[in-house]
Amino acid sequence: QELDAGGKYVLPGLIDSHVHFRTPGYEHKENWESASKAAVAGGITTVLDMPNTDPYTDTTERIRQKDKLIHGHSLVDYGFHIGVVPGKLHPLDGLQQEHAASIKLFLTGHRTARNVIDLDADLETIFRLAAQRQIPLTLHAEDDAVLHLYRRVHRTPNDLASYELIAPRSGAIAAVSRVLRLVRKYGTSIHVLHVSSEEEVDLLETAARAGYPVSFETTAHQLWFDLESAASLGTKTKLSPAIRGKRDRARLWEAVRSGALTSVGSDHAPHALKEKAVDFSEAPPGLPGVQELLPVLLTGLGRHLPELSRDERLSKVVSLLADGPANRFRLNHLKGSLRPGLDADIVIVDDEQVWEVGAKDLYSFCGWSPYEGLPLTGVPLVTIRRGQIVFDRGQFGKFDGRTLSYAPTPVATFEQVSGSPFH
Ligand code: DOR
Ligand code: ZN
Ligand code: ZN
């Protein structure tokens, strides 16, 4: 079959390393087939799914079961983050690096997140095991209430030592400071999820510069919205962590510009409209966005980093949505940049086409988008996964996506982080 990509950009298939596709247990919100359609329509060929399903994906047996349910129903290739539940760490005993892309921890959480790990002893065990097994940790680290309190009391400090001093009182910062000590102790590699605040970016950048094996992502919606623009959307933009202010958003874009940010996830976390149609305090946090990830990032790049050329914008997309996550999660079969010998994951993008987002264009089962009515610029036309066309302007290919495997994540040595201001 011939494809004409004249005048278009050819990019590596995109990787979304943070999705909640809701299988099993929450199929009234989303199902794997529809979510994977939304993904390939968004130029994504690979996803890493989060463990907050029902049952919680917290054992290798449950990963196997989830894999079995998805097999034959996925347009994208897929991998899993494994969860841990407080007081039930024994499933980690048998965990090997080939089982999971990462171990996902909630260090803080919305009141509906039952699985916050906050005992020092549990954290020590998890950090030690992850390092031993050469598996990275992914962390949900922010606490909205405490961050607000912290902001009233403190200015933003810029060095790790002062973070450590204020750590016991500071929410997001407290959680991250606390784990940095464990990173230094065990050499565990960590990736902090959906970073949303200026303070957290400052802290993580400083730690990375000091040689800590830390990286971080933000999400498309945190790059797009701020408190003001999200306000009119009500519960649709209720999230954990929350959408923050303009200054935070500017700091996130600065991390995109500088290259400090490793990846942008969609954090595709759909809820039924009916579930969102309640009081703000009662609404579940989370929104869909896997199909909109590339268009939102491309449009945002044009708006927030106008000094970048067209090629530079596309290079940022490749680094944040392909190379960054591929390298971070050491995805085997060389998912990421286009190089000879790879498995032909390709997306053809028209970076000038305008998409006025409408409910009728969405493939997610939840059927809504926080971007509805907006014009976004930059649309995937054709998505090829392992040499097969899985999306071509509204037509879909075979649901034969495969499970990924992962290479070991090296453990940092004490020397590598000995430049630490904690001394
Ligand atoms: O906003 C969120 N939604 N934050 C989470 O931590 C969970 C997620 C979901 O699964 O709905
Ligand atoms: Zn989270
Ligand atoms: Zn998430």
Side-chain angles (χ1 to χ4, degrees):
Q1 191 183 343
E2 267 182 40
L3 278 174
D4 183 2
K8 313 290 185 276
Y9 273 88
V10 177
L11 309 184
L14 309 178
I15 301 169
D16 189 346
S17 52
H18 186 165
V19 302
H20 303 259
F21 276 5
R22 306 300 195 206
T23 296
Y26 298 110
E27 285 89 351
H28 66 286
K29 299 175 193 281
E30 181 65 287
N31 62 73
W32 200 282
E33 285 196 10
S34 55
S36 79
K37 279 173 138 181
V40 294
I44 290 157
T45 52
T46 306
V47 301
L48 298 178
D49 191 52
M50 286 295 169
N52 60 337
T53 48
D54 185 16
Y56 210 70
T57 314
D58 59 351
T59 65
T60 54
E61 183 49 31
R62 284 185 176 164
I63 284 187
R64 258 192 298 278
Q65 287 162 358
K66 191 160 154 179
D67 193 0
K68 231 163 100 186
L69 286 172
I70 293 164
H71 190 82
H73 299 276
S74 186
L75 288 160
V76 288
D77 287 342
Y78 52 90
F80 304 109
H81 301 284
I82 192 170
V84 257
V85 175
K88 191 186 153 199
L89 303 186
H90 59 272
L92 296 180
D93 289 344
L95 187 68
Q96 298 303 329
Q97 142 261 311
E98 67 262 26
H99 293 133
S102 85
I103 303 170
K104 155 80 187 278
L105 300 189
F106 280 97
L107 296 174
T108 61
H110 184 256
R111 62 186 164 71
T112 57
R114 289 153 294 159
N115 296 319
V116 175
I117 306 281
D118 55 7
L119 287 177
D120 280 326
D122 282 357
L123 286 173
E124 294 269 347
T125 305
I126 295 164
F127 273 71
R128 184 171 44 74
L129 270 171
Q132 255 172 23
R133 308 287 160 79
Q134 304 190 43
I135 302 175
L137 297 179
T138 47
L139 307 174
H140 178 123
E142 295 188 39
D143 183 310
D144 296 341
V146 196
L147 180 72
H148 290 308
L149 187 68
Y150 163 69
R151 284 186 168 182
R152 264 192 270 141
V153 184
H154 297 279
R155 288 192 54 248
T156 305
N158 260 319
D159 62 284
L160 291 176
S162 50
Y163 277 110
E164 193 182 19
L165 283 176
I166 53 94
R169 283 166 288 142
S170 64
I173 314 303
V176 177
S177 308
R178 187 174 178 199
V179 299
L180 284 177
R181 265 185 271 181
L182 295 167
V183 168
R184 182 159 172 275
K185 184 164 172 190
Y186 296 109
T188 321
S189 177
I190 65 166
H191 183 62
V192 182
L193 299 164
H194 45 46
V195 168
S196 68
S197 66
E198 183 185 23
E199 289 89 341
E200 212 181 353
V201 178
D202 285 345
L203 172 57
L204 290 166
E205 257 199 60
T206 311
R209 250 186 272 118
Y212 284 60
V214 305
S215 62
F216 60 103
E217 69 154 22
T218 191
T219 61
H221 45 268
Q222 283 156 337
L223 288 168
W224 185 270
F225 292 107
D226 58 55
L227 280 170
E228 214 172 286
S229 60
S232 63
L233 288 163
T235 58
K236 284 186 176 171
T237 46
K238 177 172 173 180
L239 287 154
S240 164
I243 299 287
R244 308 218 188 273
K246 287 198 164 58
R247 201 171 136 164
D248 297 288
R249 186 180 57 184
R251 184 69 185 87
L252 295 174
W253 281 109
E254 173 52 27
V256 170
R257 201 197 53 73
S258 74
L261 192 72
T262 294
S263 55
V264 176
S266 71
D267 198 357
H268 182 78
H271 295 286
L273 267 182
K274 211 170 76 193
E275 295 171 307
K276 286 285 201 179
V278 294
D279 265 11
F280 196 87
S281 61
E282 296 304 314
L287 49 72
V290 71
Q291 188 177 344
E292 303 92 317
L293 176 61
L294 169 75
V296 168
L297 182 58
L298 260 179
T299 311
L301 280 162
R303 189 175 299 176
H304 293 275
L305 302 178
E307 70 279 15
L308 297 187
S309 69
R310 190 177 176 190
D311 282 357
E312 286 169 334
R313 280 200 297 276
L314 271 301
S315 303
K316 284 288 180 201
V317 166
V318 170
S319 107
L320 294 167
L321 301 185
D323 290 344
N327 294 330
R328 184 65 189 87
F329 293 103
R330 306 179 68 80
L331 302 179
N332 275 345
H333 316 302
L334 304 163
K335 303 244 170 216
S337 249
L338 296 171
R339 292 189 302 278
L342 301 200
D343 62 0
D345 284 358
I346 291 163
V347 55
I348 301 171
V349 175
D350 183 341
D351 69 322
E352 290 180 321
Q353 188 175 318
V354 176
W355 173 30
E356 184 144 343
V357 183
K360 63 172 187 346
D361 314 319
L362 302 169
Y363 296 104
S364 169
F365 182 74
C366 77
W368 61 276
S369 164
Y371 308 102
E372 266 167 73
L374 291 174
L376 299 176
T377 308
V379 180
L381 301 176
V382 176
T383 307
I384 297 168
R385 190 252 302 124
R386 275 183 286 104
Q388 304 294 315
I389 296 177
V390 283
F391 175 77
D392 184 353
R393 285 153 290 193
Q395 302 295 310
F396 294 95
K398 286 204 193 97
F399 288 82
D400 59 357
R402 284 188 202 156
T403 321
L404 301 166
S405 59
Y406 330 91
T409 299
V411 176
T413 60
F414 183 74
E415 285 71 30
Q416 276 171 280
V417 296
S418 62
S420 151
F422 284 162
H423 275 293

